[in-house]
Amino acid sequence: MPDLSGKQGLIVGVANKRSISWAITQAAAAAGARLALTYPSERLEENVRELASALKNPVLAPCDVASDQQIADLAATLDREFGGLDFLVHGAAFAPADALSKPFVETSRDAFRMALDVSAYSLVALTRAVVPLMEKRGSGSVLTLTYIGSQRVFTNYNVMGVAKAALESSVRYLASDLGPKNIRVNAISAGAIKTLAAAGISGFSSILQVYRDRAPLRRGVDQSEVADAAVFLLSNAGRAVTGEILMVDAGFHTVGF
Ligand SMILES: NC(=O)c1ccc[n+]([C@@H]2O[C@H](COP(=O)([O-])OP(=O)(O)OC[C@H]3O[C@@H](n4cnc5c(N)ncnc54)[C@H](O)[C@@H]3O)[C@@H](O)[C@H]2O)c1
């Protein structure tokens, strides 16, 4: 397993023990990293605090990624607590429920704006906020989570697919901007996994069976498999990889009819 000892990372997107970001937190901690976790609201604070109690010396801070002020406050907290940052994991996504059940053509302006803001623009805003902290360390690795619904139609994925397309394009533009500072920016495109976010998509469980039937490995993936690939990209082992969308999906993306 790649080594993250001596590294300090920020992980945004832990809601509960099924969160992909929580699996990444556990894998990064096992690889030796010290971690900061965020919670977007008081409602989720208790969950995140309880999970974080299993970590060694974690930092916890509020951060609704739709708020520039909260992002600025978070960067100040990390500067105070860590004095620099080696990696950022961005696992935040949101779209209003009716945008994930009605036909895509009915997507409202507000739902579109909210989905793109929370699920795509937030990567740009968070990355910008932590660049000075990564510069202090001489390098950095930024990682976000995406889904193949950015390129192909999955029933009810709708505006989230549009947001993921914007997110993946943002990965490439950020990688280009920040490469000269030795900051890498990548995404993992994960296969479908049963989580809180996935439960918000009507008919999601039928997608899981499609992976079992058609993916080359004839199965879906789990959180720990995404987390292992994440640790590779966050660590020095991934030092020449940037602007990449790494498919961790049991090969599902390779299959046509
Ligand atoms: N589950 C899947 O099948 C799957 C597949 C590919 C990609 N992904 C992506 O992985 C990422 C993590 O999702 P997950 O499946 O682990 O579900 P999850 O519900 O555990 O994680 C989504 C997170 O987004 C956070 N969030 C929502 N609005 C926010 C806001 N305004 N500010 C800060 N945080 C906010 C939630 O609190 C939650 O922690 C998402 O980007 C998701 O699109 C999921």
Side-chain angles (χ1 to χ4, degrees), residues 54-69:
L55 303 173
K56 207 168 137 197
N57 204 8
V59 170
L60 266 88
C63 185
D64 175 346
V65 297
S67 161
D68 286 331
Q69 187 57 55

Side-chain angles (χ1 to χ4, degrees), residues 13-15 19-20 40 63-65 91-93 145-146 164 190 192-193 195-197:
V14 175
S19 296
I20 297 172
C63 185
D64 175 346
V65 297
L145 296 164
T146 188
K164 293 302 192 192
I193 301 172
T195 62
L196 187 66

